[in-house]
């Protein structure tokens, strides 16, 4: 029993028996496909295939079918691995009624993504956004298409790393925060419940949920304290490398563009943070989730309007004045300090901040929300929510269910659609009485 070869044989035998049990439970019925890819400990690419189906007792089951090693992460390789796995167990893509992946481009691509290749095999294999996936990571990834956002994430991450690298610097950070007590006595700060509490440094990390929003918010709230500590590093650090890095961080952070991007990302991620957090609840109400999607879209659209823009500029300008940051004249020609002067742009500072940064990032967020929750997805989710038995089927709506069934023309023809509408009317009366 301690022999590695025997142990491996036992594991394989358990795997075979488990797959047999899954096939028996399926009984040739429809199922949904959940796929994720990652690297194992030996850095080989592997793909996890999970089946989601309703068993004979009516319970929704999720079962791991297999973990398949693939040659690479190309879409064709992933689809080939899935087809080969299905053929081994006499499955067919025609029995797949839904698919769910993370936000990777090779999975969710609308042209050559895995979901589109599988949908070509069956037109009713719709893909639903993975609710438990950190939607905030998707929004940050989309925003990183903008060079300034990528630079901001890199800057905040490096500054927090240099502050958290030493216990002495963390003590200095807490010591600087005690200066709030003097501000209270001087009447510069208002007192109240929840005001001016100690804000811990939250590092930016793509795998830590919601960390970007917390990090940007912390950076804004404690900007003065962070600059003081960096200035102290410039004066007292033993190594020239640390002093030069701290000098560069101070020079970059104390610019209007960084202040503008900090407040913009705080606003955008603050709007979508509530949606992202709620989607991760294990017992999420679908109707409530779709309502939050609508709210997020509306708030992003409102943020794009001129009135919100004016208030936003006032907030950023006040922040810059508070910390002696130079505010550029919006009517002057824009000069990108990070590019060669031979490649100058022909637009004003106002156009750069309003169009190239503000509107573009908000539009990308709206587009990502529309892609994750498009019209087809909305109809499906609302239709499924109508079948919820809570409160004696209080959310039951025949019209929404009928609109959902219209998305499955291979399963419901005109005759069966008429019969279904009558069956639903009889069903709800029977259940309620």
């Amino acid at each position: 029993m301690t022999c590695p070869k025997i142990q491996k044989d036992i594991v394989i035998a358990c795997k075979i028996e488990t797959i047999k049990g899954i096939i028996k439970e399926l009984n040739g019925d429809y199922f949904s496909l959940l796929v994720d890819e990652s690297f194992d400990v030996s850095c080989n690419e592997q793909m996890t295939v999970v089946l989601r189906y309703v068993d004979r007792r009516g319970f929704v089951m999720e079962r791991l079918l297999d973990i398949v090693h693939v040659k690479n992460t190309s879409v064709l390789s992933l689809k080939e691995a899935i087809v080969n796995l299905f053929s081994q167990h006499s499955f067919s893509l025609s029995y797949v009624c839904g698919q769910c992946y993370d936000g990777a481009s090779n999975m969710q691509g609308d042209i050559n993504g895995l979901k589109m290749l599988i949908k070509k095999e069956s037109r009713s294999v719709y893909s639903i956004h993975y609710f438990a996936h950190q939607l905030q990571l998707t929004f940050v990834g989309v925003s990183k298409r903008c060079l300034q956002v990528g630079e901001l994430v890199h800057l905040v991450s490096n500054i927090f790393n240099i502050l958290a690298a030493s216990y002495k610097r963390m003590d200095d950070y807490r010591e600087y925060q005690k200066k709030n007590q003097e501000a209270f006595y001087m009447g510069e700060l208002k007192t109240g419940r929840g005001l001016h509490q100690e804000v811990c440094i939250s590092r930016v990390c793509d795998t830590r949920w919601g960390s970007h929003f917390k990090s940007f918010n912390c950076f804004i709230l404690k900007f003065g304290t962070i600059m003081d500590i960096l200035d102290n590093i410039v004066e007292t650090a033993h190594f020239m490398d640390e002093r030069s890095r701290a000098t560069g961080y101070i020079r970059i952070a104390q610019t209007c563009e960084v202040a503008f991007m900090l407040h913009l990302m705080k606003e955008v991620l603050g709007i979508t943070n509530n949606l992202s957090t709620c989607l991760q609840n294990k017992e999420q109400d679908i109707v409530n989730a779709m309502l939050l999607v609508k709210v997020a879209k509306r708030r992003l659209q409102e943020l794009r309007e001129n009135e919100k823009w004016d208030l936003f500029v006032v907030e950023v300008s006040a922040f810059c004045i508070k910390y002696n940051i130079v505010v550029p004249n919006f009517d002057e020609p824009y000069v990108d300090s990070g590019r060669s002067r031979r490649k100058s742009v022909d637009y004003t500072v106002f156009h750069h901040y309003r169009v190239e940064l503000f509107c573009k990032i908000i539009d990308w967020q709206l587009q990502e929300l529309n892609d994750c929750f498009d019209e087809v997805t909305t109809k499906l989710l609302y239709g499924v929510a109508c079948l919820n038995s809570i409160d004696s089927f209080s959310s039951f709506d025949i019209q929404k269910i009928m609109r959902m069934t219209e998305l499955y023309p291979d399963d419901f023809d005109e005759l069966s659609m008429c019969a279904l509408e009558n069956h639903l009317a009889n069903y709800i009366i029977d259940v309620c009485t």
Side-chain angles (χ1 to χ4, degrees):
M1 294 298 293
T2 59
C3 175
K5 184 178 179 181
I6 298 298
Q7 290 179 346
K8 190 172 183 179
D9 289 341
I10 293 174
V11 171
I12 293 174
C14 292
K15 168 188 167 182
I16 294 173
E17 292 302 317
T18 302
I19 293 176
K20 284 182 180 179
I22 294 174
I23 296 174
K24 185 177 180 181
E25 278 188 340
L26 272 173
N27 196 28
D29 207 345
Y30 293 102
F31 59 89
S32 295
L33 178 65
L34 288 79
V35 176
D36 195 13
E37 55 177 338
S38 61
F39 290 96
D40 58 14
V41 292
S42 58
C43 296
N44 292 320
E45 187 70 24
Q46 61 180 11
M47 179 176 63
T48 304
V49 180
V50 177
L51 303 185
R52 180 181 174 91
Y53 57 92
V54 180
D55 64 7
R56 297 178 180 180
R57 298 174 297 169
F59 293 102
V60 178
M61 310 297 292
E62 286 186 1
R63 292 287 183 263
L64 173 64
L65 182 64
D66 206 344
I67 299 177
V68 185
H69 291 277
V70 292
K71 298 178 182 178
N72 51 62
T73 58
S74 67
V75 180
L76 294 177
S77 297
L78 296 177
K79 184 191 174 184
E80 183 182 359
I82 292 173
V83 171
N84 292 336
L85 177 64
F86 280 8
S87 62
Q88 293 176 14
H89 306 297
S90 302
F91 291 157
S92 173
L93 288 177
S94 60
Y95 284 94
V96 179
C97 64
Q99 46 186 334
C100 182
Y101 315 110
D102 60 13
S105 58
N106 60 340
M107 295 288 193
Q108 295 284 5
D110 292 330
I111 299 176
N112 294 320
L114 180 61
K115 73 172 185 180
M116 294 305 298
L117 292 183
I118 293 182
K119 193 171 183 179
K120 290 178 181 178
E121 304 290 337
S122 175
R123 55 180 176 172
S124 297
V125 187
Y126 299 107
S127 176
I128 301 294
H129 176 72
Y130 179 28
F131 275 16
H133 183 258
Q134 171 59 4
L135 192 62
Q136 203 76 291
L137 301 185
T138 305
F139 290 139
V140 174
V142 169
S143 300
K144 282 183 180 179
R145 297 178 193 168
C146 178
L147 178 62
Q148 287 79 2
V149 176
E151 292 175 346
L152 177 68
V153 174
H154 188 65
L155 174 67
V156 173
S157 177
N158 286 341
I159 290 178
F160 280 169
N161 285 337
I162 198 173
L163 294 183
S166 167
Y167 288 109
K168 183 179 183 301
R169 292 169 191 168
M170 290 302 299
D171 291 338
D172 292 340
Y173 175 78
R174 297 185 181 94
E175 188 67 28
Y176 277 112
Q177 290 195 115
K178 291 181 180 178
K179 293 182 179 180
N180 284 341
Q181 296 178 358
E182 299 177 5
F184 285 135
Y185 296 127
M186 298 294 294
E188 296 177 0
L189 294 178
K190 296 181 180 179
T191 60
R193 182 176 181 182
L195 294 179
H196 314 297
Q197 295 176 343
E198 180 175 334
V199 180
C200 298
I201 290 178
S202 178
R203 299 192 195 185
V204 178
C205 178
D206 286 345
T207 57
R208 188 176 296 126
W209 292 359
S211 67
H212 291 87
F213 173 65
K214 294 178 182 178
S215 297
F216 294 147
N217 206 22
C218 172
F219 202 91
I220 292 173
L221 291 174
K222 297 302 175 184
F223 185 84
T225 300
I226 293 171
M227 292 300 106
D228 289 341
I229 297 175
L230 289 176
D231 193 47
N232 189 37
I233 293 174
V234 174
E235 296 178 355
T236 61
H238 297 290
F239 300 101
M240 182 60 66
D241 182 45
E242 289 185 349
R243 296 171 66 181
S244 59
R245 277 190 297 165
T247 303
Y249 294 151
I250 293 174
R251 185 182 299 115
I252 297 172
Q254 291 182 326
T255 59
C256 183
E257 188 163 294
V258 169
F260 183 91
M261 295 306 303
L262 275 171
H263 284 80
L264 177 57
M265 293 306 297
K266 186 199 77 169
E267 289 289 334
V268 171
L269 296 182
I271 291 173
T272 57
N273 184 62
N274 189 27
L275 170 63
S276 181
T277 303
C278 290
L279 288 179
Q280 295 162 29
N281 293 339
K282 292 183 178 180
E283 298 180 359
Q284 179 56 260
D285 183 5
I286 296 177
V287 176
N288 182 54
M290 299 310 298
L291 178 62
L292 289 174
V293 171
K294 285 186 177 181
V295 171
K297 289 181 181 179
R298 183 173 177 178
R299 289 191 62 194
L300 285 172
Q301 190 62 46
E302 289 178 350
L303 180 62
R304 201 181 184 280
E305 302 299 328
N306 290 330
E307 293 181 1
K308 293 289 185 179
W309 160 256
D310 294 336
L311 293 174
F312 180 78
V313 171
V314 170
E315 182 183 358
V316 175
S317 299
F319 178 86
C320 292
I321 293 172
K322 179 180 179 181
Y323 294 106
N324 298 321
I325 299 174
V326 178
V327 180
N329 185 351
F330 276 25
D331 295 328
E332 293 180 352
Y334 175 73
V335 178
D336 189 354
S337 59
R339 300 291 299 275
S340 171
R341 293 299 176 91
R342 294 177 299 173
K343 299 180 180 180
S344 60
V345 293
D346 188 19
Y347 49 73
T348 62
V349 175
F350 173 82
H351 179 88
H352 172 71
Y353 283 101
R354 178 76 168 98
V355 179
E356 296 297 322
L357 297 180
F358 191 81
C359 291
K360 185 177 289 185
I361 290 175
I362 294 175
D363 289 343
W364 282 342
Q365 303 299 321
L366 285 169
Q367 182 182 354
E368 187 63 28
L369 273 175
N370 290 328
D371 291 341
C372 291
F373 304 97
D374 56 13
E375 185 179 357
V376 173
T377 300
T378 303
K379 287 182 179 179
L380 284 170
L381 291 175
Y382 275 128
V384 171
C386 291
L387 301 174
N388 195 338
S389 60
I390 292 179
D391 296 333
S392 300
F393 287 88
S394 58
S395 58
F396 187 86
D397 190 323
I398 293 179
Q399 298 304 319
K400 290 181 180 179
I401 298 175
M402 295 302 297
R403 283 195 291 270
M404 179 182 67
T405 56
E406 290 173 358
L407 301 174
Y408 296 92
D410 295 336
D411 300 304
F412 299 94
D413 54 21
E414 293 183 4
L415 184 61
S416 60
M417 289 284 284
C418 294
L420 176 63
E421 190 168 6
N422 289 320
H423 286 315
L424 289 173
N426 294 335
Y427 175 78
I428 191 61
I429 293 176
D430 181 45
V431 169
C432 290
T433 54

